[in-house]
């Protein structure tokens, strides 16, 4: 059997099922409550006389069940200084009188926690709710009691605007999505630019790497050249050291040769002295020793005595003749001795030999 629900008929309508349908339209289906905006006074409330609250006209829904305030309602809570209170929209699912299904009441308690524990909030969506009276109390205003006065009246019930809320959410989501797309496009553009810069950077890096390789090659070549220069310098240093040693040896040899030459000179002087002493005389001319002495002007055998000089110094002619003869004879003997000093003589040969030895010694330097 199929039972129609939202059809015309005395027994077709089920309030609990319709409440479920209304509930489904709420985003938060556990709180299918609210007042309808733009209708009546939208349940506007005022404090009357300091100890009463007046609720204006309007339409509202509690747990998917709709009610209407057609005329202002006044509630008067119990007044206890310091107490907290709620103005409640109370619904009952099965009441003997229709006007008793919905009521506006007030409750007070010592604290909000104690007040919340006293709220009657049952499952009015159950299938039994249409046959068994089930109540639910929704706070639509809160207030406080200060002395004998009601203060701090605050509206708690919210407008039924889930569709508008959904639209706002969707619009915001769409705007956010569009912004995200725009941001993504910008990110793609930035990424492409970065990629181009990256390619340029890679190219620059490759160029720099090539230059770096060339610099390394140049540095290696410079290092090789420096090593060769160092090796050459070390070789030159060795040659300089060797040259210094050779020079030192040459200086030593020169000094030895000089000493030998000096000694040879002394030996020649001694030899000349010994020769002079051995001969018994030395040939000088104006006090200067002569290596050779010309004998052309000396008197030889057969020369006439009349040609001799200095004969006029004798006292008599016989003495003069005798003196000239004696003088020529002496000079002749001396000339014969001097022959040994002339070129080709024995003394001349001896001197040449000494000079040759001296020259050989000097050539060694």
């Amino acid at each position: 059997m199929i039972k129609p629900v939202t059809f015309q008929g005395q027994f077709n309508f089920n309030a609990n099922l319709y409440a479920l349908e209304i509930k489904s339209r709420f985003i938060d289906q556990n709180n299918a409550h609210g007042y309808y905006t733009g209708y009546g006074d939208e349940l506007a409330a005022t404090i009357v006389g300091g100890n009463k609250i007046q609720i204006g006209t309007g339409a509202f829904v509690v747990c998917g069940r709709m009610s209407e305030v057609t005329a202002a309602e006044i509630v008067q809570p119990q007044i206890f200084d310091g107490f907290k209170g709620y103005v409640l929209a109370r619904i009952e699912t099965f009441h003997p009188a229709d006007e008793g299904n919905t009521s506006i009441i007030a409750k007070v308690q010592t604290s909000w926690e104690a007040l919340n524990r006293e709220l009657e909030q049952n499952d009015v969506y159950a299938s039994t709710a249409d046959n068994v009276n089930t109540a639910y109390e929704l706070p639509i205003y809160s207030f406080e009691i200060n002395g004998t006065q009601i203060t701090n009246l605050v509206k708690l019930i919210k407008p039924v605007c889930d569709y508008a809320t959904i639209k706002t959410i969707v619009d915001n989501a769409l705007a956010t999505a569009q912004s995200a797309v725009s941001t993504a496009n910008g990110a793609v553009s930035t990424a492409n630019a970065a990629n181009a810069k990256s390619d340029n950077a890679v190219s620059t890096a490759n160029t720099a790497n090539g230059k770096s390789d060339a610099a390394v090659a140049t540095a290696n070549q410079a290092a090789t050249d420096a090593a060769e220069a160092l090796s050459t310098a070390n070789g030159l240093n060795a040659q300089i050291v060797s040259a210094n040693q050779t020079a030192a040896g040459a200086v030593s040899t020169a000094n030895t040769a000089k000493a030998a030459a000096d000694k040879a000179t002394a030996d020649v002087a001694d030899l000349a002295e010994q020769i002079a002493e051995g001969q018994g005389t030395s040939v000088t001319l104006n006090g200067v020793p002569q290596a050779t002495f010309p004998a052309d002007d000396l008197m030889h055998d057969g020369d006439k005595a009349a040609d001799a000089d200095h004969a006029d110094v004798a006292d008599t002619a016989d003495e003069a003749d005798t003196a000239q003869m004696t003088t020529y004879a002496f000079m002749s003997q001396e000339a014969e001795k001097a022959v040994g000093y002339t070129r080709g003589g024995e003394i001349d040969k001896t001197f040449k030999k000494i000079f040759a030895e001296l020259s050989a010694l000097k050539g060694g330097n």
Side-chain angles (χ1 to χ4, degrees):
M1 176 180 177
I2 298 175
K3 180 181 179 182
V5 175
T6 57
F7 290 85
Q8 181 66 34
Q10 183 179 2
F11 301 104
N12 291 338
F13 185 78
N14 279 25
N16 68 305
L17 295 179
Y18 186 70
L20 285 174
E21 194 277 331
I22 297 298
K23 172 185 175 182
S24 67
R25 302 177 187 182
F26 283 77
I27 297 172
D28 181 5
Q29 295 190 14
N30 291 324
N31 292 285
H33 321 299
Y35 70 93
Y36 293 92
T37 59
Y39 189 83
D41 296 328
E42 297 182 349
L43 306 182
T46 57
I47 298 173
V48 178
N51 59 356
K52 299 182 184 66
I53 300 173
Q54 177 178 292
I55 307 298
T57 61
F60 63 94
V61 62
V62 175
C63 294
R65 296 176 184 253
M66 185 182 296
S67 300
E68 179 185 4
V69 179
T70 59
E73 291 282 322
I74 295 179
V75 295
Q76 185 173 1
Q78 291 180 304
I79 302 299
F80 298 102
D81 185 25
F83 272 42
K84 315 295 181 185
Y86 283 142
V87 175
L88 302 173
R90 175 184 173 88
I91 63 170
E92 297 179 33
T93 61
F94 189 77
H95 199 277
D98 292 340
E99 62 273 13
N101 286 125
T102 303
S103 60
I104 303 294
I105 63 174
K107 280 188 177 182
V108 297
Q109 192 47 266
T110 58
S111 66
W112 298 115
E113 292 78 7
L115 189 58
N116 288 330
R117 285 194 299 268
E118 285 191 2
L119 293 178
E120 191 173 354
Q121 294 182 334
N122 300 301
D123 182 11
V124 293
Y125 298 107
S127 60
T128 59
D130 280 2
N131 299 313
V132 177
N133 193 33
T134 307
Y136 190 96
E137 295 175 340
L138 176 70
I140 60 175
Y141 280 94
S142 66
F143 60 90
E144 297 179 11
I145 299 174
N146 186 4
T148 60
Q149 301 295 309
I150 296 173
T151 60
N152 298 328
L153 184 64
V154 178
K155 192 172 189 177
L156 300 178
I157 191 169
K158 304 300 180 182
V160 176
C161 58
D162 286 42
Y163 288 121
T165 301
I166 290 173
K167 184 178 186 305
T168 300
I169 293 172
V170 171
D171 290 343
N172 291 337
L174 179 59
T176 301
Q178 290 174 342
S179 176
V181 169
S182 178
T183 301
N185 290 334
V188 170
S189 177
T190 301
N192 290 334
N195 187 50
K197 291 181 179 179
S198 174
D199 291 340
N200 292 336
V202 169
S203 177
T204 302
N206 289 335
T207 302
N209 187 52
K211 292 181 179 179
S212 175
D213 291 341
V216 168
T218 301
N220 290 335
Q221 184 60 45
T224 301
D225 294 343
E228 291 179 357
L230 178 61
S231 176
T232 301
N234 290 335
L236 289 174
N237 184 61
Q239 293 178 14
I240 290 170
V241 171
S242 177
N244 287 336
Q245 292 174 350
T246 302
V251 170
S252 177
T253 302
N255 290 335
T256 302
K258 183 177 180 301
D262 291 343
K263 185 176 184 303
T265 301
D267 290 343
V268 170
D270 291 342
L271 179 60
E273 184 178 355
Q274 291 174 10
I275 292 172
E277 290 176 354
Q279 288 292 119
T281 184
S282 59
V283 179
T284 64
L285 181 60
N286 296 324
V288 178
Q290 300 296 311
T292 59
F293 184 79
D296 295 335
D297 293 334
L298 298 180
M299 186 174 178
H300 295 80
D301 291 339
D303 291 339
K304 293 181 179 181
D307 294 333
D309 294 331
H310 309 299
D312 58 282
V313 299
D315 293 337
T316 63
D318 291 338
E319 289 176 350
D321 292 338
T322 301
Q324 289 181 351
M325 292 297 292
T326 301
T327 298
Y328 291 149
F330 175 78
M331 294 178 67
S332 176
Q333 293 175 359
E334 290 301 316
E336 288 177 357
K337 293 178 182 179
V339 171
Y341 292 97
T342 60
R343 182 173 302 181
E346 293 300 323
I347 295 173
D348 182 54
K349 293 180 180 179
T350 301
F351 273 115
K352 287 182 178 180
K353 181 178 180 183
I354 291 170
F355 288 145
E357 293 177 354
L358 287 174
S359 297
L361 288 174
K362 292 180 179 179
N365 286 333

